[in-house]
Amino acid sequence: RKEVEQDPGPFNVPEGATVAFNCTYSNSASQSFFWYRQDCRKEPKLLMSVYSSGNEDGRFTAQLNRASQYISLLIRDSKLSDSATYLCVVNIGGTYKYIFGTGTRLKVLA
Amino acid sequence: DTAVSQTPKYLVTQMGNDKSIKCEQNLGHDTMYWYKQDSKKFLKIMFSYNNKELIINETVPNRFSPKSPDKAHLNLHINSLELGDSAVYFCASSQGAERNTQYFGPGTRLTVL
């Protein structure tokens, strides 16, 4: 079993739709959680950190469920520019080790 | 103004050659990383340095040798290149770890022929 698992997609959604991605992690020592965005042939960039209480940044909402060991990302009112691969990232507590999921590809269609 | 820079951006070479990739960050971070992203887009950590000290070495073949001359630089030397080394190599930096954001360089696309 992979340490961090994501549905690879692609998720094809129309503009304006709401789309949600889940990510599960297997290491219970995981302490910090992030969503990164990676555009085609570009480097990953931080989209948002995920806090225990859940957090929102504009159209993006991230949730953490420690009991079930998953995190989620909700994108509301999808834009064409949201088309990218979304990477779930987990940091193992007390270490410098970040583990990336394989990413979920999103295509927002006009 | 680039926060994390890598050179070269593209590298095409023959099997068996030795090559180096350089990385520099101007963010004042104390931790730097090398990641490999293969053809299936899976991003996997290879090495991490904190204050020039190697702290993560993820079962990478010893043909790969990282070197950190100072906190702002982390280079990667690869000996005897193999076809399977073809990938995109990303350098990243952060201030400490855990809750801190990693900033990635633009990547070096290595093709071994």
Side-chain angles (χ1 to χ4, degrees):
Chain A
R1 183 185 172 188
K2 289 180 184 163
E3 291 185 88
V4 178
E5 292 205 64
Q6 296 182 249
D7 181 340
F11 284 58
N12 296 323
V13 303
E15 267 188 295
T18 295
V19 61
F21 308 136
N22 282 337
C23 165
T24 58
Y25 60 94
S26 60
N27 192 328
S28 57
S30 301
Q31 288 292 331
S32 303
F33 309 88
F34 310 85
W35 284 102
Y36 276 71
R37 170 194 169 128
Q38 186 173 24
D39 292 292
C40 189
R41 301 179 79 86
K42 296 285 189 182
E43 72 272 24
K45 290 184 179 175
L46 180 71
L47 179 66
M48 56 198 306
S49 301
V50 186
Y51 303 119
S52 295
S53 55
N55 47 302
E56 188 174 311
D57 182 2
R59 298 182 293 108
F60 299 85
T61 300
Q63 296 279 353
L64 167 63
N65 185 320
R66 286 190 186 270
S68 301
Q69 296 190 184
Y70 78 83
I71 67 173
S72 64
L73 178 68
L74 182 78
I75 305 175
R76 290 180 298 279
D77 188 23
S78 298
K79 311 288 184 193
L80 293 175
S81 57
D82 294 334
S83 297
T85 296
Y86 290 83
L87 301 165
C88 171
V89 185
V90 168
N91 175 264
I92 307 303
T95 77
Y96 290 84
K97 188 172 178 182
Y98 293 79
I99 302 171
F100 282 70
T102 50
T104 297
R105 196 166 165 212
L106 171 67
K107 289 185 183 178
V108 181
L109 308 170
Chain B
D1 288 324
T2 305
V4 183
S5 59
Q6 292 179 231
T7 53
K9 193 166 183 180
Y10 299 96
L11 190 51
V12 181
T13 189
Q14 300 285 335
M15 263 189 350
N17 284 350
D18 302 339
K19 290 292 178 187
S20 291
I21 307 171
K22 295 186 175 182
C23 178
E24 177 180 2
Q25 55 95 2
N26 63 7
L27 297 167
H29 289 164
D30 60 3
T31 307
M32 296 185 73
Y33 312 79
W34 277 113
Y35 285 87
K36 178 180 179 180
Q37 188 167 43
D38 59 26
S39 56
K40 294 184 178 176
K41 308 300 181 189
F42 181 53
L43 199 67
K44 187 168 181 187
I45 193 165
M46 300 172 69
F47 300 104
S48 177
Y49 272 74
N50 174 256
N51 287 314
K52 302 195 298 174
E53 182 184 342
L54 179 66
I55 50 173
I56 292 177
N57 181 342
E58 283 290 302
T59 59
V60 176
N62 58 15
R63 297 182 296 104
F64 290 79
S65 49
K67 276 195 182 152
S68 181
D70 55 58
K71 286 197 307 183
H73 295 85
L74 180 61
N75 303 324
L76 183 65
H77 187 77
I78 315 170
N79 288 327
S80 303
L81 279 155
E82 300 178 358
L83 293 176
D85 298 333
S86 296
V88 181
Y89 292 83
F90 286 102
C91 176
S93 74
S94 67
Q95 182 57 32
E98 297 210 34
R99 290 181 177 78
N100 295 321
T101 303
Q102 289 187 305
Y103 294 85
F104 284 79
T108 296
R109 187 170 295 272
L110 171 64
T111 303
V112 182
L113 303 174

